[in-house]
Amino acid sequence: MKLLTGLVAALASFTAIVASPVENERMVEPRQGRLQQVTNFGANPSNVKMFIYVPTRLAANPAIIVAVHYCTGTAQAYFNGSPYARLADQKGFIVIYPESPYGGTCWDVSSRQTLTHNGTGNSNSIANMVYYTIGRYNADPTKVFVTGTSSGAMMTNVLAATYPDVFAAGIVYSGVPAGCFVSSSGAVNGWNSTCANGQSRTTAGHWAQIVRDMYPGYDGPRPRMQIYHGSADTTLAAPNYQETIKQWAGVFGYNPDSPESTQQNTPQNGYTTSTYGDHLVGIYGQGVGHSVPIRGDDDMRFFGL
Ligand SMILES: *[C@@H]1O[C@H](CO)[C@@H](O)[C@H](O)[C@H]1NC(C)=O
Ligand SMILES: *[C@@H]1O[C@H](CO)[C@@H](O)[C@H](O)[C@H]1NC(C)=O
């Protein structure tokens, strides 16, 4: 018994010795060049997990991309399945991969909390990850970007609407307009079939008001937006493309029915690129389903990286 107690104590102290440098490293100096969880990023009112990728060769005053996963996804899955970490290695920016706290790992894009600036929802937790990263790595606050796929694309629109002062640009891969998934009962992480089926349609002016109401009183600059959607999307029906275009066109004062320019078969065969103005580009993939494949190099150009 005594021997066993001693052995356990010895093992415990051995574990402590072995564990402490790892713990210290995690607390003080997150290891660069690998995906890493950050647990101490500040207020996290909706329990979103934060993962970060800091490339080994980090730029001075690096840019930040927030890359938001799809339902059933994880930070690790989006790290593996999207091109942003590889691009970070080339260009020296930081990637934040938030991870949904809910079963099924969709994002809360339905509650009043998440649809409000500093409203204690998922959007608030993710904005706090950005503030932490700017401070910790001396990142450039004018070069913070957001992108995501599906539920992550919905969150991209929500972050652009709730934190227009944080994000310089957003790229939406197969989402719905900000506020389209709103729950009439206030449900957190609710599914909204009306919106998903493409039946939530309103005017550009009304969609824009929905955005402005997420941060009342804000009258500063807003992020440039690029919207991808596929015509054959059966998860978030195709009308969500035009509704999202209407939303941001309304915000920026563009005519959603009359782009400045339209290029067929751009950026690839079957896609049409419509430019509404400096702040809004739509890219519609004919016959493309859910979700549109990520175009990493094009994303870098849109973000100016
Ligand atoms: C939102 O929260 C941030 C961080 O706490 C703070 O700096 C900012 O002033 C808040 N926004 C408003 C409008 O109060
Ligand atoms: C679904 O969203 C629409 C707006 O897109 C809203 O009018 C409707 O109330 C929502 N449905 C439910 C059941 O919450």
Side-chain angles (χ1 to χ4, degrees), residues 66-70 78 98 107 126 146-149 151-153 155-156 159:
V66 178
V68 194
H69 67 69
Y70 42 86
Y78 212 51
W107 292 98
I126 294 171
V146 57
T147 185
T149 297
S151 184
M155 180 51 86
T156 298
L159 286 166

Side-chain angles (χ1 to χ4, degrees), residues 13-23:
S13 64
F14 175 73
T15 310
I17 289 163
V18 169
S20 64
V22 177
E23 272 314 303

Side-chain angles (χ1 to χ4, degrees), residues 138-228:
N138 199 22
D140 185 343
T142 70
K143 291 188 183 150
V144 179
F145 308 103
V146 57
T147 185
T149 297
S150 188
S151 184
M154 300 186 199
M155 180 51 86
T156 298
N157 279 321
V158 167
L159 286 166
T162 51
Y163 289 91
D165 51 340
V166 168
F167 296 100
I171 300 180
V172 172
Y173 283 99
S174 311
V176 304
C180 192
F181 248 53
V182 67
S183 165
S184 52
S185 64
V188 172
N189 187 30
W191 186 262
N192 185 310
S193 314
T194 310
C195 177
N197 295 340
Q199 289 154 356
S200 292
R201 302 187 198 176
T202 188
T203 61
H206 186 212
W207 278 129
Q209 191 58 45
I210 287 169
V211 167
R212 285 191 291 267
D213 287 348
M214 293 186 194
Y215 189 172
Y218 179 78
D219 63 358
R222 292 182 185 268
R224 293 184 299 114
M225 299 300 292
Q226 186 161 73
I227 313 301
Y228 283 92

Side-chain angles (χ1 to χ4, degrees), residues 77-88:
Y78 212 51
F79 171 81
N80 293 340
S82 68
Y84 302 113
R86 175 179 57 76
L87 291 162

Side-chain angles (χ1 to χ4, degrees), residues 54-159:
V54 180
T56 311
R57 280 189 289 163
L58 184 62
N61 307 122
I64 298 171
I65 293 182
V66 178
V68 194
H69 67 69
Y70 42 86
C71 295
T72 75
T74 57
Q76 181 76 55
Y78 212 51
F79 171 81
N80 293 340
S82 68
Y84 302 113
R86 175 179 57 76
L87 291 162
D89 285 338
Q90 288 172 20
K91 295 172 184 290
F93 59 79
I94 293 171
V95 191
I96 297 172
Y97 298 91
E99 186 170 292
S100 161
Y102 310 111
T105 71
C106 293
W107 292 98
D108 175 23
V109 286
S110 65
S111 73
R112 194 180 42 76
Q113 294 93 305
T114 200
L115 298 177
T116 305
H117 176 80
N118 287 358
T120 73
N122 287 177
S123 59
N124 198 165
S125 289
I126 294 171
N128 289 347
M129 295 176 194
V130 173
Y131 298 137
Y132 161 87
T133 304
I134 291 170
R136 173 71 184 72
Y137 294 96
N138 199 22
D140 185 343
T142 70
K143 291 188 183 150
V144 179
F145 308 103
V146 57
T147 185
T149 297
S150 188
S151 184
M154 300 186 199
M155 180 51 86
T156 298
N157 279 321
V158 167
L159 286 166

